[in-house]
Amino acid sequence: MFRGSLQRKILIVVVSLVFLMVFLMLSLFVYTEYKRVFQYAAERGLQTTKILSQMDSIQWAISQGNTERLKPLIDYHMTQSESAFIVIKDREGKILSHPDEGEIGKIYSIEDETKALVFGGNYNLIADSILGPAVVSISPIYVDRQIVGTARVGYLVKDLRHTVMERTKRLALISLTIFVIGIGLSIWLARSIRKDTFGMEPQEMANFYKERHAVLASISEGLIATDGEGKITIINTAARKILNVSNDYKGRSIESVFPTLQYSKLLHAASQPFSFELNVHKKTLIMTIVPLRKDVAVSGIVITFRDKTEMNELVNTLFEVKKYSDDLRAQTHEFMNKLYVISGLLQLRKYNEAIKMIQEEIDVTQHTNAFIFEHIKDTNVQAILFGKIGKASENKITFTIDENSSLGQLPSFISTGVLTIIIGNLIDNAFEEVIDQEKRLVNFFALDIGEDIIFEVSDNGRGIDPTVAHQLFTQGFSTKDKSDRGYGLSNVRSAIQDLGGDIQWKSDDTGTIFTVFIPKTEKVER
């Protein structure tokens, strides 16, 4: 409809509305005032003529033909009624009293007075007078029940219009003041709206809304924004999915989503962004709070969060890939060394020794594989053990699998990543513990008879110092002098506890044994 900025459109619309309202109000006033003034003149004139027609002095003056006594009476009533003229006529149309004394005695047509002279009627009309068009009121004058003349009271039309115009001028001045105030308010409103919309035009706001919707939908983290009263203003798709809620939560209190979250304290503390963990609906969420500021005061908060379980799964997957990569590298390195030896024997034409070495390697591999396949049925555990066998061979560690081991297919809730964390870390720690020993012995045992699945890893290392035993499963603690260590056993215990299991250990100067117990039934959260 209009081209230009939002501020200009608002200004045009508001000014137009104010002008239209002022114009309509002024027009209505002029119309009603015009009718009221003319009606008032007609009613007052008719009232005056009735009074005059019933006055004895006027009736006597007409019957006696004494016009001199009429002048003071007529002048008085003209003043009282504020009329332009009062004329007294007899039946023949002869003027007996007139404001202009030169008109007295003259005879005028009685055509517009017929209704009064013949029928005795009292009425009003607009007629031409000597002074100009006027609103005229006419009443008959009786003497002894006989109509002997008429009384005419008139208000000039130009005087009535002048009265209306004077009143209209005053109202026009008031209307102009209202119009100017309206323009000022419209300018203030336009600027205020522009300030509230950060100077954006409607199309820009529409594009911004579409972009915001697309960005919120694409964010994989949950995002919730609130106002100063803790009402939810934004909740994105990821947040609804993580919390398993609908978009109907928009407008509700933040406590309806996070019951344990004390919003008033949170708002007070949200002077700077900060993070913390929160348990919601059997999930551990890592939450970040960012304050929303209006000028200096905090007017709300933005909460972003991720499911810690998903993050743990991601970390575990990366850890699992790294472990497999290391184990495959160890196997590759060990086989390359053996291939170099076989190649050297062949070049030296020591064929019998080369064949013997190949046969021994085949026998060991077949025996190990056959034993693992026969006693360890779970493919994930098999894969971990094969990788560790190669790593042990590379580091000249005697890694054995207890002949009494017996393990079937593990339940589906025990994932590959969890097994890698538990078994992989325990075996790797045992390898590191025996690396400085003259005889490097590590043994693995697995059993699933009964209600629990049991894994046991033992070594002949130096044992665990009793003075630091209480810190063994503390995250970040390590007996190795490296800043990036101390997470293996902590992750092992955390993974076991998530499965509802337990880990026990025993250590002395002859070595260490770690025993893991995992229930065959999945842990149920309460």
Side-chain angles (χ1 to χ4, degrees):
M1 180 179 179
F2 303 116
R3 293 183 179 180
S5 65
L6 177 63
Q7 186 174 1
R8 181 183 178 188
K9 293 177 181 178
I10 293 173
L11 189 61
I12 292 175
V13 171
V14 175
V15 169
S16 300
L17 286 174
V18 173
F19 175 78
L20 182 61
M21 291 178 63
V22 169
F23 176 77
L24 291 175
M25 180 182 68
L26 193 60
S27 301
L28 182 62
F29 172 81
V30 171
Y31 174 75
T32 55
E33 188 67 10
Y34 190 87
K35 289 188 65 176
R36 190 188 69 80
V37 168
F38 274 73
Q39 184 176 1
Y40 175 77
E43 291 176 352
R44 191 169 185 182
L46 195 60
Q47 183 181 14
T48 302
T49 58
K50 289 180 179 180
I51 292 173
L52 293 172
S53 66
Q54 295 176 6
M55 294 181 64
D56 294 339
S57 56
I58 292 179
Q59 293 176 358
W60 181 85
I62 293 177
S63 63
Q64 297 297 321
N66 186 352
T67 58
E68 294 182 359
R69 294 188 62 180
L70 292 176
K71 182 173 176 51
L73 291 172
I74 297 305
D75 291 342
Y76 173 76
H77 283 285
M78 279 183 60
T79 302
Q80 292 297 315
S81 63
E82 299 179 345
S83 59
F85 59 86
I86 295 179
V87 177
I88 305 296
K89 290 182 179 182
D90 61 13
R91 289 186 61 87
E92 285 73 28
K94 181 181 178 180
I95 297 178
L96 302 178
S97 175
H98 197 283
D100 184 0
E101 294 184 358
E103 296 294 318
I104 296 175
K106 292 182 179 180
I107 298 175
Y108 285 91
S109 171
I110 59 172
E111 183 179 352
D112 57 358
E113 298 171 349
T114 303
K115 186 176 179 181
L117 293 172
V118 177
F119 301 103
N122 300 286
Y123 56 95
N124 297 303
L125 53 84
I126 296 179
D128 290 329
S129 66
I130 296 173
L131 301 176
V135 176
V136 179
S137 301
I138 302 175
S139 293
I141 300 174
Y142 288 86
V143 175
D144 297 331
R145 298 183 180 180
Q146 297 292 323
I147 299 175
V148 295
T150 59
R152 298 168 63 97
V153 176
Y155 293 87
L156 296 178
V157 171
K158 64 178 182 179
D159 292 339
L160 298 177
R161 288 176 177 172
H162 178 73
T163 300
V164 173
M165 290 304 298
E166 287 298 319
R167 295 179 182 178
T168 303
K169 286 180 182 179
R170 291 196 293 271
L171 182 62
L173 183 61
I174 296 173
S175 300
L176 180 61
T177 303
I178 295 174
F179 182 66
V180 172
I181 293 174
I183 292 176
L185 291 175
S186 64
I187 294 174
W188 172 82
L189 176 63
R191 290 180 177 176
S192 177
I193 293 176
R194 186 171 180 82
K195 181 180 178 182
D196 292 339
T197 58
F198 300 99
M200 291 192 296
E201 297 300 325
Q203 186 60 40
E204 293 175 323
M205 287 188 284
N207 292 335
F208 176 78
Y209 177 80
K210 293 177 182 177
E211 291 170 0
R212 190 195 73 165
H213 183 75
V215 169
L216 290 177
S218 64
I219 295 176
S220 59
E221 289 187 343
L223 186 146
I224 295 178
T226 70
D227 58 17
E229 297 179 354
K231 303 295 183 182
I232 297 173
T233 56
I234 297 174
I235 178 168
N236 72 341
T237 305
R240 295 197 298 269
K241 183 178 179 181
I242 294 172
L243 300 173
N244 194 26
V245 298
S246 64
N247 199 39
D248 296 338
Y249 275 76
K250 190 174 181 180
R252 297 188 188 181
S253 171
I254 189 66
E255 281 86 357
S256 63
V257 178
F258 303 116
T260 60
L261 199 65
Q262 297 182 349
Y263 182 76
S264 57
K265 293 182 179 180
L266 196 64
L267 188 66
H268 180 72
S271 58
Q272 296 293 334
F274 64 96
S275 301
F276 60 95
E277 289 188 6
L278 185 69
N279 293 320
V280 180
H281 304 308
K282 303 178 183 179
K283 295 180 179 179
T284 301
L285 305 181
I286 299 178
M287 309 184 70
T288 300
I289 306 297
V290 179
L292 285 175
R293 295 186 179 277
K294 185 176 183 181
D295 298 329
V296 179
V298 178
S299 60
I301 59 174
V302 175
I303 305 174
T304 58
F305 53 91
R306 290 185 67 95
D307 189 349
K308 187 178 180 181
T309 305
E310 294 181 358
M311 297 181 67
N312 287 338
E313 289 179 354
L314 178 61
V315 171
N316 293 340
T317 301
L318 293 175
F319 179 78
E320 176 187 343
V321 171
K322 184 177 181 300
K323 287 289 184 182
Y324 279 137
S325 176
D326 291 342
D327 293 342
L328 289 173
R329 181 195 58 78
Q331 284 182 328
T332 301
H333 186 265
E334 178 64 16
F335 282 121
M336 286 297 296
N337 289 337
K338 292 177 180 179
L339 287 176
Y340 288 144
V341 174
I342 295 171
S343 176
L345 292 173
L346 292 175
Q347 291 178 20
L348 295 173
R349 299 177 182 271
K350 295 184 178 182
Y351 303 117
N352 293 331
E353 288 82 348
I355 293 172
K356 181 180 179 182
M357 184 177 178
I358 294 172
Q359 189 62 49
E360 288 177 353
E361 187 63 29
I362 292 173
D363 291 342
V364 170
T365 302
Q366 286 181 343
H367 178 267
T368 302
N369 292 351
F371 182 82
I372 291 176
F373 285 132
E374 182 179 352
H375 292 81
I376 307 297
K377 302 297 184 181
D378 188 85
T379 55
N380 293 326
V381 178
Q382 290 174 357
I384 295 171
L385 293 177
F386 283 131
K388 299 307 176 185
I389 289 171
K391 186 174 183 180
S393 178
E394 180 187 22
N395 291 285
K396 308 306 179 186
I397 297 172
T398 302
F399 179 52
T400 59
I401 299 172
D402 196 295
E403 61 182 11
N404 295 316
S405 296
S406 177
L407 184 70
Q409 186 68 37
L410 296 181
S412 59
F413 68 87
I414 304 177
S415 65
T416 305
V418 172
L419 287 173
T420 303
I421 291 173
I422 297 172
I423 300 175
N425 272 299
L426 291 177
I427 295 176
D428 286 343
N429 286 349
F431 286 173
E432 291 181 5
E433 189 64 27
V434 302
I435 198 70
D436 296 327
Q437 300 296 321
E438 183 178 352
K439 289 185 177 181
R440 304 169 182 176
L441 305 177
V442 175
N443 183 71
F444 174 80
F445 172 74
L447 189 66
D448 64 352
I449 298 174
E451 297 181 355
D452 293 329
I453 300 165
I454 301 173
F455 297 118
E456 186 175 274
V457 177
S458 61
D459 63 68
N460 67 332
R462 59 185 177 177
I464 298 172
D465 186 352
T467 60
V468 298
H470 64 284
Q471 296 179 278
L472 192 61
F473 296 101
T474 302
Q475 184 172 325
F477 172 77
S478 175
T479 57
K480 312 295 188 300
D481 295 330
K482 294 182 180 180
S483 59
D484 60 344
R485 303 299 299 271
Y487 295 93
L489 288 178
S490 174
N491 291 338
V492 168
R493 186 174 68 169
S494 178
I496 293 171
Q497 289 176 344
D498 289 342
L499 295 174
D502 187 26
I503 181 171
Q504 299 177 4
W505 61 277
K506 182 173 64 173
S507 181
D508 54 29
D509 56 2
T510 62
T512 303
I513 300 175
F514 282 93
T515 305
V516 175
F517 301 90
I518 300 175
K520 292 182 178 179
T521 55
E522 187 174 3
K523 179 182 177 181
V524 178
E525 297 286 347
R526 295 185 180 275

